[in-house]
Amino acid sequence: MTDGIEITDDMLLAYSDEVYEKDDSRPVLIEPGEYSAELVDWGKQFSPQFRKFTVVMHFRIEQYVIPGWFNIEPSDSKTTIKAGWKSNFLRMYQEVLNVRLERRDRISMRPFEDKRLVVEVITIARDSNQDPMAEVNHYSRVKRVLQVEEVIPF
């Protein structure tokens, strides 16, 4: 029997030892298609499973952050990318920026930073063994950047 204060969930939460942390690594699923996006960050990593170096680019599409990854070549630089002349990354880079690179070992990511981009999003429905995944496990990734959007000042 209480005559006083009603104890709410919010009040109890202040004394809880459970900590809820948002899991940003959870894959996101959106409809495949073309979207306006912004590059959030990028980084190089080695994939032991595929024995390849990749650049992982994270794009903000609406409220979601969706990755795109591209095969590259190893390099010691923290600020530039090295890619093969026939790689999807280098071809995409030249097409999107309408530039013919003189070198393939000093590719700057700055042209993508702080710009609105148009990206193509696909759904991943098969695992690394090419076996079909259950629909609940499907997720999205950015396949490629299609263009840098022109910003027209008013």
Side-chain angles (χ1 to χ4, degrees):
M1 178 173 164
T2 60
D3 293 336
I5 301 172
E6 179 181 339
I7 299 174
T8 65
D9 289 339
D10 289 335
M11 295 166 115
L12 291 172
L13 187 59
Y15 298 97
S16 173
D17 59 353
E18 293 180 21
V19 177
Y20 172 75
E21 293 181 18
K22 186 176 180 190
D23 185 4
D24 290 334
S25 65
R26 182 180 182 146
V28 173
L29 178 63
I30 63 174
E31 286 293 319
E34 294 180 9
Y35 290 89
S36 179
E38 179 181 2
L39 180 65
V40 176
D41 63 18
W42 65 274
K44 297 188 268 187
Q45 66 184 34
F46 178 73
S47 173
Q49 178 180 6
F50 300 108
R51 294 184 300 215
K52 298 259 185 195
F53 285 87
T54 58
V55 59
V56 180
M57 302 167 71
H58 292 100
F59 299 91
R60 181 172 314 285
I61 300 173
E62 298 167 2
Q63 71 268 29
Y64 305 109
V65 175
I66 299 179
W69 52 89
F70 305 92
N71 291 336
I72 59 170
E73 294 182 5
S75 71
D76 294 328
S77 174
K78 303 267 189 263
T79 59
T80 61
I81 302 292
K82 180 179 180 181
W85 287 117
K86 296 178 182 178
S87 69
N88 290 335
F89 178 79
L90 191 136
R91 288 177 174 170
M92 174 191 73
Y93 188 95
Q94 291 187 137
E95 180 181 346
V96 168
L97 300 174
N98 195 26
V99 62
R100 187 170 179 87
L101 296 173
E102 296 297 319
R103 300 177 61 142
R104 63 183 187 89
D105 61 341
R106 292 188 192 166
I107 303 170
S108 173
M109 296 300 283
R110 283 196 184 125
F112 294 125
E113 295 173 356
D114 301 320
K115 303 248 175 42
R116 295 302 300 172
L117 308 168
V118 177
V119 298
E120 179 183 354
V121 174
I122 62 171
T123 298
I124 303 300
R126 294 184 173 272
D127 64 16
S128 60
N129 296 322
Q130 296 304 311
D131 294 327
M133 294 189 299
E135 192 169 339
V136 71
N137 292 321
H138 290 187
Y139 62 94
S140 298
R141 85 165 176 92
V142 172
K143 181 178 181 183
R144 61 189 176 136
V145 178
L146 298 172
Q147 72 183 57
V148 176
E149 290 184 346
E150 291 280 332
V151 177
I152 302 170
F154 290 100

